[in-house]
Amino acid sequence: MRFALTVAALLLAAPALAQQPRPATCSRDLFQNEAGFRLQQTRLAAVGSADQATQCRTWREHVGYLQKARTVFATCQSGAERERNVAEMDGDLVNYRALIANRCGGR
């Protein structure tokens, strides 16, 4: 009986826990994400014909950016928009990590 009450309490609390207040910095963080994406696209395009060491360094830096951007989306968005953006970041992270592993010796 006690277990059933605990489960019921958790189920009732789940919506409230899922809708925790967002940080006050979310508007700024989302704006910076957008600006950062434009900068990253420029940087990635610029190294298209660069030497492998430069490409690898840029791809690693991009992975770091994607991780930060994912955190912002996960923290500051909700609903379908959040799910779409987090999934896109996860997919890009998988792709860039595979690229680094294949072209940069996994370093």
Side-chain angles (χ1 to χ4, degrees), residues 6 17 20 37 44 53 61 99 106:
T6 302
L17 293 173
Q20 293 177 351
F37 278 118
L44 291 169
E61 291 169 357
L99 179 67

Side-chain angles (χ1 to χ4, degrees), residues 6 9 13-16 24 48 53 58 65 100 106:
T6 302
T58 302
Y65 173 77
I100 291 166

Side-chain angles (χ1 to χ4, degrees), residues 44-68:
L44 291 169
V47 300
S49 59
D51 62 273
Q52 188 170 356
T54 301
Q55 288 179 334
C56 291
R57 183 177 58 251
T58 302
W59 296 335
R60 284 186 198 95
E61 291 169 357
H62 188 61
V63 165
Y65 173 77
L66 291 171
Q67 291 170 324
K68 290 177 187 174

Side-chain angles (χ1 to χ4, degrees), residues 11-86:
L11 290 174
L12 291 173
L17 293 173
Q19 295 180 359
Q20 293 177 351
R22 294 182 186 139
T25 61
C26 277
S27 292
R28 181 202 66 201
D29 295 344
L30 288 166
F31 178 79
Q32 288 176 336
N33 251 11
E34 184 65 32
F37 278 118
R38 287 190 296 273
L39 177 63
Q40 288 298 316
Q41 291 303 316
T42 300
R43 292 183 71 226
L44 291 169
V47 300
S49 59
D51 62 273
Q52 188 170 356
T54 301
Q55 288 179 334
C56 291
R57 183 177 58 251
T58 302
W59 296 335
R60 284 186 198 95
E61 291 169 357
H62 188 61
V63 165
Y65 173 77
L66 291 171
Q67 291 170 324
K68 290 177 187 174
R70 184 198 187 285
T71 299
V72 170
F73 288 137
T75 303
C76 295
Q77 292 182 322
S78 61
E81 183 178 42
R82 177 189 184 277
E83 296 306 314
R84 182 179 55 253
N85 287 329
V86 168

